[in-house]
Amino acid sequence: MAAPEKLKKPKTERCDEGEDTETCETENEQDDAKQVEQNIITKNREVNLQAYRDLLNESMFLQIRNNVLHRRLAEYYRKRELDHVFKPFQGTADLEKKYQQKLMSYEELKEKTEREIIDMRSKTCAVENNIIGRLEGAEKKFIAFQNLERSIGTGLIYSEKGKPIADKTVSRFITLQAQKSEQASTLSLRYIRARNAVAELEAVVRKLEIMGPGLSVHQYEQLNIENKNFKNKIEEREDELIKNRAKCTGHNQILAHIREKMHQTEELIDISECDLGDFEIEYKNCRGHLGEAKMKRNRLRWLLEAEQKKAGLLTRKDLLRDFQNARDEVVTLQKAKEALQSQIVSTSRQLREARNNTYF
């Protein structure tokens, strides 16, 4: 309220000095405007102060709530044994830099898209203006052509009847021509739209057929068929694997039995190796005895040869034959001698018996 009083005092002073009424009125208007502005400022200041106090209270309440929620989170993480949450995260500066770079790239992309949108809009506006201008020119030319036809058609005469053609018929023909041209234009537009739609659908079908770089739908179907064939082959191979596993289990059992026999045979081999060592020792001893026997045989052979050399008669065949005959005769004579001796013994026994009989 002090500001308006200060403003009122100079008004009276200036008006009392005898200046012009217009200047006084302008000054009064300026003072009133300043007073209104100051009143508005004071009102806005009070409103802003009240809003500031409300926001300060709300921020204090939110701070308290934030602290309570932080405590609850800390208790929750301690119960869950998630102590790594309380540790400071490393590499925050790098992440902030990356985030800033991403934001900058996002802003650049946004500006680029906005520029492209503006460019596309300007191009579309230019194309639309061009189309509108060409359409207006075509309509003007068509109207001029119809006027030319109307001017030519008026005053014509039927070749068969020889009567002039009425203006109504000419205008009717011209209206029919306009209607037909409109129908033709609509049909051409429909044809163009249908053609474009067909082209778009064909492009979509091509895109659908092409599933990727170097992959199409028929290739996918072929690959699907091959996949089914391979699955069937895999099932057959799995059956074969099951059979082979059963065979492997049987062969493993056989191998275990063979290993047991092998251990037994190894024990027998060890025993036979020990026996072989003994036999080798005996063989060496026998070989030594054989060598000694051969030495004796050679000595005897040498002695026999020496004796044969000494006995010269035995080396000759005729003498040996005579010696053999003589030996045979000696043998026969010995036999005869023995027979005679036995005969003599028997006769002497008979004589004794006879003598004994004679004495009695």
Side-chain angles (χ1 to χ4, degrees):
M1 298 299 289
E5 290 176 355
K6 288 179 181 178
L7 289 170
K8 284 178 183 178
K9 288 178 182 179
K11 283 182 187 178
T12 55
E13 289 175 357
R14 287 178 183 175
C15 291
D16 292 335
E17 287 175 356
E19 292 181 353
D20 295 332
T21 57
E22 292 179 358
T23 56
C24 288
E25 287 177 358
T26 55
E27 287 177 358
N28 291 325
E29 288 177 357
Q30 289 177 1
D31 293 333
D32 292 332
K34 288 180 181 180
Q35 188 176 0
V36 170
E37 287 178 358
Q38 286 180 358
N39 290 325
I40 292 165
I41 289 164
T42 53
K43 288 180 181 179
N44 291 329
R45 186 170 178 277
E46 290 176 356
V47 172
N48 291 327
L49 285 170
Q50 188 64 34
Y52 174 73
R53 292 190 190 95
D54 295 334
L55 291 171
L56 187 63
N57 294 323
E58 189 176 357
S59 66
M60 290 173 68
F61 175 73
L62 291 172
Q63 187 69 32
I64 293 164
R65 187 178 179 185
N66 190 13
N67 293 327
V68 172
L69 291 173
H70 275 294
R71 288 176 184 173
R72 288 181 181 177
L73 279 172
E75 290 175 358
Y76 174 77
Y77 287 132
R78 285 194 187 93
K79 287 179 182 178
R80 296 286 181 177
E81 294 181 356
L82 299 171
D83 295 331
H84 65 277
V85 178
F86 300 105
K87 294 179 182 178
F89 185 73
Q90 295 179 357
T92 54
D94 295 332
L95 290 173
E96 286 179 358
K97 287 181 181 178
K98 289 180 181 179
Y99 181 69
Q100 292 293 332
Q101 289 176 0
K102 294 287 184 183
L103 286 175
M104 293 293 289
S105 62
Y106 174 71
E107 288 178 357
E108 289 177 357
L109 287 171
K110 193 174 179 181
E111 290 176 357
K112 187 178 179 181
T113 52
E114 287 177 355
R115 286 196 298 271
E116 288 178 354
I117 289 165
I118 292 164
D119 191 10
M120 292 294 289
R121 284 177 181 173
S122 62
K123 287 180 180 179
T124 51
C125 289
V127 171
E128 286 177 356
N129 293 323
N130 189 7
I131 289 166
I132 290 164
R134 291 177 70 182
L135 184 62
E136 289 177 355
E139 287 177 353
K140 288 178 181 179
K141 287 180 181 179
F142 184 71
I143 291 164
F145 179 71
Q146 282 185 346
N147 292 324
L148 180 63
E149 285 181 346
R150 187 178 283 108
S151 63
I152 291 167
T154 53
L156 293 175
I157 298 168
Y158 288 109
S159 60
E160 294 178 357
K161 297 178 181 180
K163 292 180 180 181
I165 298 169
D167 294 333
K168 291 181 180 180
T169 56
V170 172
S171 62
R172 185 164 57 83
F173 287 143
I174 289 167
T175 53
L176 285 171
Q177 186 182 5
Q179 290 175 0
K180 295 293 182 184
S181 64
E182 287 179 359
Q183 289 177 1
S185 64
T186 53
L187 289 172
S188 64
L189 285 171
R190 286 176 66 186
Y191 171 72
I192 290 163
R193 288 172 183 172
R195 186 180 63 188
N196 293 328
V198 169
E200 288 177 358
L201 290 172
E202 287 178 353
V204 170
V205 169
R206 289 194 196 95
K207 287 181 181 179
L208 291 172
E209 286 180 354
I210 296 166
M211 300 175 68
L215 292 173
S216 59
V217 175
H218 67 276
Q219 290 178 354
Y220 173 74
E221 290 177 354
Q222 187 176 0
L223 291 171
N224 196 2
I225 293 164
E226 290 179 357
N227 189 11
K228 289 180 181 178
N229 294 325
F230 284 127
K231 282 181 180 178
N232 294 324
K233 288 181 181 179
I234 287 164
E235 289 177 357
E236 292 176 357
R237 293 294 176 85
E238 284 179 354
D239 295 332
E240 290 178 358
L241 282 171
I242 290 164
K243 292 178 182 178
N244 291 324
R245 282 172 185 167
K247 289 180 181 179
C248 286
T249 52
H251 289 302
N252 287 324
Q253 291 175 359
I254 293 164
L255 284 171
H257 185 64
I258 290 166
R259 282 172 185 168
E260 290 177 357
K261 287 185 177 180
M262 187 176 69
H263 290 302
Q264 292 177 359
T265 51
E266 284 178 354
E267 291 176 357
L268 293 172
I269 287 164
D270 293 331
I271 294 165
S272 60
E273 283 179 354
C274 294
D275 295 333
L276 180 64
D278 297 332
F279 288 133
E280 284 179 353
I281 292 165
E282 290 179 359
Y283 171 72
K284 288 179 181 178
N285 294 325
C286 292
R287 196 167 182 179
H289 294 304
L290 181 64
E292 291 176 357
K294 284 182 179 179
M295 293 291 289
K296 289 179 181 180
R297 185 192 66 183
N298 292 325
R299 287 174 187 172
L300 291 171
R301 186 179 289 169
W302 294 336
L303 291 171
L304 182 62
E305 287 177 355
E307 291 294 331
Q308 284 179 358
K309 286 179 181 179
K310 287 180 181 179
L313 296 173
L314 297 174
T315 57
R316 294 174 65 183
K317 291 182 180 180
D318 53 354
L319 294 175
L320 286 171
R321 192 181 299 111
D322 293 335
F323 180 73
Q324 188 68 31
N325 292 325
R327 283 190 68 185
D328 293 335
E329 288 178 359
V330 168
V331 170
T332 54
L333 290 172
Q334 284 180 356
K335 288 180 179 179
K337 181 182 176 183
E338 289 176 356
L340 290 171
Q341 285 179 356
S342 62
Q343 190 176 3
I344 290 165
V345 169
S346 62
T347 53
S348 62
R349 189 181 294 120
Q350 289 176 0
L351 285 172
R352 284 192 195 102
E353 290 177 355
R355 285 176 184 174
N356 290 324
N357 290 324
T358 55
Y359 288 135
F360 291 108

